[in-house]
Amino acid sequence: MRKPIIAGNWKMNKTPAEAKELVLALTETVKDAECDVVVCVPATNFAAVKEAAEGTNIKLGAQNVHFAPSGAYTGELSADMLKACGVEYVVIGHSERRQYFGETDKTVNLRTRAAVAAGLIPIICVGELKDERESGYTDIIVEYQTLMALHGLTEEEIKNVVVAYEPVWAIGTGLTATDEQANETIGVIRKAVERKYGKDVADALRIQYGGSMNPKNVKGLMAQPEIDGGLIGGASLKAPDFTAVVMYNK
Ligand code: 13P
């Protein structure tokens, strides 16, 4: 059975002092979680979060990683730099990076390979735009984005990767895919991985849903057989909301 994984994606929010306060609150409220718990925070908060989460079940994640080991890449951070700060997970290919920062399926693949080579667990984001869904291209888009991201990894490496299905039209909009839509599209992603890498790999791969997941809709989404967790934006910024999502089965 796949262990669920719920990750907060704080995006560009919180100072170190605010980060510390939130994580200290969570250490008490999520300590009995049955899922893996991750917070993907701005790099300026790594130290504060690492310290506040020390000895707890809350793992540290980043929101991007560069593919080169070092060099003339102003403003970027390498996988080894993240590792050295205690980062274990890294979000790659978030739709906001694809939309605003020129991220492509090629660079998502390069970042994923660099993350895996350094021993980080990538959380690879895939998802269709509103007009792509309305035109009937959802399956093709998510299959292509997923297989391109995984290209060049071994089967064993893919088993340890996390994919987040985030329909772009559901991010930060309050719109959520229905439980059935989310389950169906995640099933499509898993089938594509199965065709290329086999059933063992597809069965091991954890696939999250993201896009306005919150305390109200988490139970229904997590009851779906294909959905192995969530990548949470807005609702991860407040301790009571993130707690309610992480403790969805309590
Ligand atoms: P929201 O939960 O705010 O819709 O954000 C989802 C997301 O983009 C997580 O990566």
Side-chain angles (χ1 to χ4, degrees):
M1 270 314 286
R2 299 181 292 269
K3 185 176 185 192
I5 172 168
I6 295 194
N9 174 10
W10 290 5
K11 309 190 179 183
M12 195 172 71
N13 290 291
K14 299 208 181 280
T15 64
E18 291 165 346
K20 181 177 171 191
E21 187 185 342
L22 173 53
V23 172
L24 284 178
L26 292 172
T27 54
E28 266 310 301
T29 56
V30 306
K31 66 177 191 299
D32 297 322
E34 285 166 21
C35 58
D36 286 336
V37 183
V38 185
V39 287
C40 300
V41 309
T44 43
N45 293 336
F46 289 164
V49 171
K50 186 73 194 149
E51 194 188 330
E54 196 65 51
T56 75
N57 59 334
I58 302 172
K59 306 288 191 200
L60 178 60
Q63 298 176 10
N64 196 14
V65 60
H66 196 263
F67 32 84
S70 63
Y73 300 101
T74 302
E76 294 294 316
L77 300 171
S78 74
D80 284 343
M81 290 172 179
L82 301 185
K83 285 279 286 187
C85 293
V87 170
E88 295 179 59
Y89 292 81
V90 58
V91 175
I92 296 177
H94 192 277
S95 71
E96 286 146 19
R97 296 217 61 87
R98 295 180 191 256
Q99 186 178 351
Y100 305 128
F101 303 102
E103 192 77 54
T104 65
D105 291 310
K106 176 74 189 164
T107 53
V108 168
N109 177 243
L110 292 172
R111 294 183 204 284
T112 300
R113 290 192 198 204
V116 169
L120 293 167
I121 299 179
I123 300 176
I124 302 163
C125 301
V126 302
E128 81 287 1
L129 304 172
K130 185 162 181 284
D131 63 341
E132 290 167 340
R133 177 165 281 270
E134 287 167 358
S135 312
Y137 293 130
T138 298
D139 295 2
I140 292 173
I141 298 281
V142 297
E143 286 173 5
Y144 182 79
Q145 289 180 345
T146 304
L147 294 178
M148 282 291 284
L150 299 177
H151 181 71
L153 300 188
T154 67
E155 290 175 4
E156 284 313 303
E157 286 170 340
I158 295 171
K159 286 182 184 174
N160 204 32
V161 158
V162 177
V163 172
Y165 166 56
E166 300 206 299
V168 179
W169 47 272
I171 293 177
T173 56
L175 294 173
T176 326
T178 63
D179 300 348
E180 293 73 25
Q181 277 174 330
N183 190 63
E184 186 189 333
T185 305
I186 289 177
V188 165
I189 294 170
R190 199 180 306 285
K191 272 277 167 248
V193 172
E194 182 178 333
R195 281 196 301 276
K196 178 120 178 103
Y197 297 102
K199 188 159 166 38
D200 257 23
V201 177
D203 283 348
L205 178 70
R206 293 189 292 179
I207 311 180
Q208 301 171 310
Y209 169 77
S212 302
M213 199 191 242
N214 61 43
K216 287 208 175 71
N217 58 29
V218 63
K219 266 195 175 35
L221 288 159
M222 289 303 293
Q224 297 292 322
E226 294 288 354
I227 303 181
D228 304 319
L231 186 57
I232 322 296
S236 73
L237 296 173
K238 292 192 184 131
D241 288 356
F242 193 56
T243 299
V245 172
V246 167
M247 306 300 280
Y248 65 93
N249 55 352
K250 297 285 173 185

